[in-house]
Amino acid sequence: MLPELHLPWMEISVLITLLGSIWLKFTPDRDRAYQRCLRICTLTLLVTICGWIDFISLKSFEASEPFSLFSQLFNKKLFVVDDLSAPLLPLAALLYLLTVLSTLKTKGHSFSFSNTLISEAILLSTLSSKETWIIILLLSAATIPPLLEFRSNKRSSRVYVLHMGLFIILLVAGGLLSSFKDHNDTISLIAGALLTTAALLRNGIIPLHCWMTDLFEKITFGTALLFVTPMTGAYAILRLVFPIAPDWALQGIAIVSLITAVYAAGMALVQQEARRFFCYLFLSHSSLVLVGLEMATPLGLTGGLCVWISVGISLAGFALTLRSVEARTGRISLKTYHGLYEHTPTLAGLFLVTGLASIGFPGTLGFIGTELLIEGVIEVYPLVGTAVVIATALNSIAILQVYFRVFTGTHHAASISLRARIPEHVAILILVALVIGGGLFPQPGVISRNHAANQLIQLRDEAFQKRKSSADSRISVNKNQMNQSIIP
């Protein structure tokens, strides 16, 4: 019997966002819609934080929700929080809040506040679920809000639809095969391969990454950021693939992810447009997260989980800074120097701090996670660990290069003030405070991620033992049947 939280925090947060989305549908005034969306996102963040604190107080690996409405409807515990998902839920809610906070009110016609709350509800539900089919359903539903924005902006969605359609097909096929009760090892292997391919596609692993650059180019920066930054592809791998995949399959995923990390870091160096640069930068970092998650060792998995948190926070701040600059100058070309430091010195400083934090600069949240990740990879693949260092070095060079392109090199003449608004400062400063605070006091976060890593490995070992005993029992039954048929 699972321990229960004191209140159904996750269900409350999902209902708040869903009801808030309906409320905003009937709010035509953009300023009022912005204020209401801000209040709803703030309330959602507070509820998820309360749920996290409640979970910590139980001192358990996982906990379910009491008297849940959804559980009563489906006669099943739909929302379960554990060491893995507990900190991811407030992180996701914080990301949505700060994205909305830093959004210009004039962007209401292109950045839909109502659809944003729907996508937040889907994300929170996904991170609160452990059931295979619920995760598959929610991951499939999460592809709809960006598609609606493609259509509302009258941009071609062919690349996105083809990739996400394949993603859904692979998910469903893998889910169907894995649901067979009497499946053999071959069917399990095929199911794992389908689910793995789907998750890697969602994460943008090469050669299945072109949908991500297309996404950033054709829809609003905010919507694209909220779709990729939570890294639900990594979450799908941990929930759907990690428990059933053999060690050699996980190590194969890690190698492919490492190749993607180095490739994307190299591509980030040569991009001539800021959105594409950020897309490849994020793709490189998210691939490094997968490298750690697929090591299947306590050290590597702890490093991957720590980098997941640090990348989510630091690159969110980096993207919001880039988005604020773009809101003042339009799409940013990296072919020329822009010299914006005189006009936006605060944004320049925040750009540099969040960018360096993402590559594990000492004193920031990413430093410990990157160190653990490198040590975990070297522990399994001594030579391959060098590639992680190369990817990190290329990313750092790319960040500094873009900083000089955007903020230095020339004098920018402007007829109006380009300084950032207070809400933009607040949004980015909150993330910077988390980045620096986590770097100065990393122990609580590392302990939390280490507990999650150990429990995930323990559950994986238990699942393997269960399948092994089931296979041994089937072999024993077959031998008895053969003996009975031979003996007259």
Side-chain angles (χ1 to χ4, degrees):
M1 184 68 178
L2 287 179
E4 291 186 342
L5 301 172
H6 294 87
L7 288 174
W9 301 107
M10 300 307 103
E11 183 174 306
I12 293 173
S13 64
V14 171
L15 289 176
I16 288 173
T17 50
L18 288 177
L19 295 176
S21 175
I22 298 173
W23 188 26
L24 293 184
K25 281 290 186 183
F26 299 96
T27 309
D29 183 73
R30 292 175 186 171
D31 289 346
R32 186 172 296 177
Y34 170 80
Q35 295 295 335
R36 290 178 176 177
C37 186
L38 203 56
R39 295 191 193 102
I40 293 167
C41 289
T42 303
L43 182 59
T44 303
L45 174 61
L46 294 176
V47 171
T48 54
I49 291 176
C50 290
W52 187 18
I53 295 173
D54 191 359
F55 172 77
I56 293 174
S57 68
L58 296 177
K59 297 181 180 179
S60 172
F61 169 62
E62 60 182 0
S64 61
E65 295 198 323
F67 48 90
S68 170
L69 175 62
F70 292 127
S71 298
Q72 295 295 328
L73 291 175
F74 296 98
N75 196 26
K76 197 172 189 179
K77 295 285 187 182
L78 298 185
F79 293 150
V80 177
V81 184
D82 60 9
D83 275 336
L84 171 64
S85 61
L88 296 179
L89 290 161
L91 176 61
L94 177 65
L95 175 61
Y96 274 82
L97 171 61
L98 299 184
T99 302
V100 172
L101 178 62
S102 61
T103 300
L104 295 176
K105 297 177 184 179
T106 55
K107 295 289 184 180
H109 64 285
S110 56
F111 181 79
S112 172
F113 294 119
S114 177
N115 289 345
T116 298
L117 291 181
I118 291 177
S119 65
E120 183 177 8
I122 295 173
L123 175 61
L124 294 176
S125 300
T126 304
L127 297 177
S128 304
S129 303
K130 296 181 69 175
E131 292 290 332
T132 299
W133 278 107
I134 295 177
I135 293 176
I136 290 174
L137 176 63
L138 292 170
L139 288 174
S140 302
T143 63
I144 298 176
L147 179 61
L148 296 177
E149 189 163 313
F150 270 105
R151 300 296 170 83
S152 64
N153 293 344
K154 298 181 180 179
R155 303 296 299 271
S156 173
S157 59
R158 182 180 302 173
V159 174
Y160 177 80
V161 169
L162 287 175
H163 283 81
M164 292 300 105
L166 178 60
F167 165 69
I168 294 172
I169 291 172
L170 291 171
L171 272 183
V172 173
L176 286 173
L177 289 177
S178 64
S179 63
F180 291 153
K181 293 183 178 180
D182 298 325
H183 58 279
N184 54 34
D185 292 339
T186 303
I187 294 179
S188 296
L189 192 61
I190 295 174
L194 293 173
L195 292 172
T196 299
T197 306
L200 293 179
L201 190 158
R202 179 63 177 80
N203 217 62
I205 299 298
I206 60 170
L208 305 171
H209 67 287
C210 59
W211 68 269
M212 194 176 287
T213 55
D214 189 71
L215 182 79
F216 274 91
E217 287 180 347
K218 294 182 178 178
I219 66 174
T220 59
F221 205 158
T223 302
L225 174 68
L226 294 175
F227 187 67
V228 303
T229 305
M231 287 185 273
T232 51
Y235 185 80
I237 286 180
L238 285 180
R239 292 302 192 199
L240 305 180
V241 179
F242 189 79
I244 64 174
D247 289 341
W248 61 265
L250 292 181
Q251 292 169 2
I253 297 172
I255 296 297
V256 173
S257 301
L258 191 56
I259 294 172
T260 302
V262 177
Y263 166 80
M267 288 295 291
L269 276 171
V270 298
Q271 294 306 305
Q272 298 182 349
E273 202 270 332
R275 287 198 183 193
R276 290 180 65 89
F277 154 74
F278 175 78
C279 176
Y280 280 108
L281 181 69
F282 176 81
L283 182 56
S284 178
H285 282 86
S286 63
S287 299
L288 288 177
V289 172
L290 289 184
V291 172
L293 298 184
E294 305 313 320
M295 287 295 101
T297 62
L299 184 60
L301 190 53
T302 301
L305 293 176
C306 288
V307 173
W308 186 345
I309 298 292
S310 67
V311 165
I313 295 175
S314 57
L315 282 189
F318 186 81
L320 292 180
T321 306
L322 202 59
R323 182 173 178 242
S324 297
V325 175
E326 185 182 277
R328 286 153 178 76
T329 63
R331 295 289 180 97
I332 304 170
S333 172
L334 301 180
K335 297 179 182 179
T336 59
Y337 291 94
H338 296 273
L340 293 174
Y341 184 87
E342 293 182 19
H343 302 278
T344 58
T346 306
L347 288 181
L350 296 176
F351 182 97
L352 197 58
V353 170
T354 54
L356 293 178
S358 69
I359 53 95
F361 193 79
T364 64
L365 179 61
F367 176 68
I368 298 298
T370 304
E371 179 72 15
L372 290 172
L373 176 63
I374 294 174
E375 289 187 11
V377 173
I378 291 176
E379 184 180 57
V380 180
Y381 298 113
L383 296 179
V384 176
T386 308
V388 177
V389 179
I390 293 173
T392 304
L394 292 175
N395 285 329
S396 61
I397 295 171
I399 289 170
L400 290 176
Q401 176 180 272
V402 172
Y403 171 80
F404 289 125
R405 291 280 182 178
V406 175
F407 295 103
T408 68
T410 188
H411 173 72
H412 183 87
S415 58
I416 60 174
S417 174
L418 299 180
R419 293 188 178 275
R421 300 176 303 118
I422 292 178
E424 291 172 312
H425 280 160
V426 171
I428 303 169
L429 283 172
I430 289 174
L431 294 173
V432 169
L434 291 174
V435 163
I436 296 176
L440 296 177
F441 305 99
Q443 188 172 2
V446 174
I447 291 175
S448 168
R449 299 300 82 200
N450 182 248
H451 286 167
N454 289 329
Q455 290 294 335
L456 286 170
I457 293 174
Q458 180 181 340
L459 291 176
R460 171 179 164 81
D461 292 340
E462 290 175 356
F464 267 94
Q465 290 296 330
K466 184 177 179 181
R467 286 198 297 274
K468 183 179 178 181
S469 61
S470 177
D472 291 342
S473 63
R474 287 200 303 269
I475 292 174
S476 177
V477 170
N478 291 335
K479 285 183 178 180
N480 290 334
Q481 291 177 349
M482 291 177 62
N483 291 335
Q484 291 176 0
S485 63
I486 294 173
I487 298 174

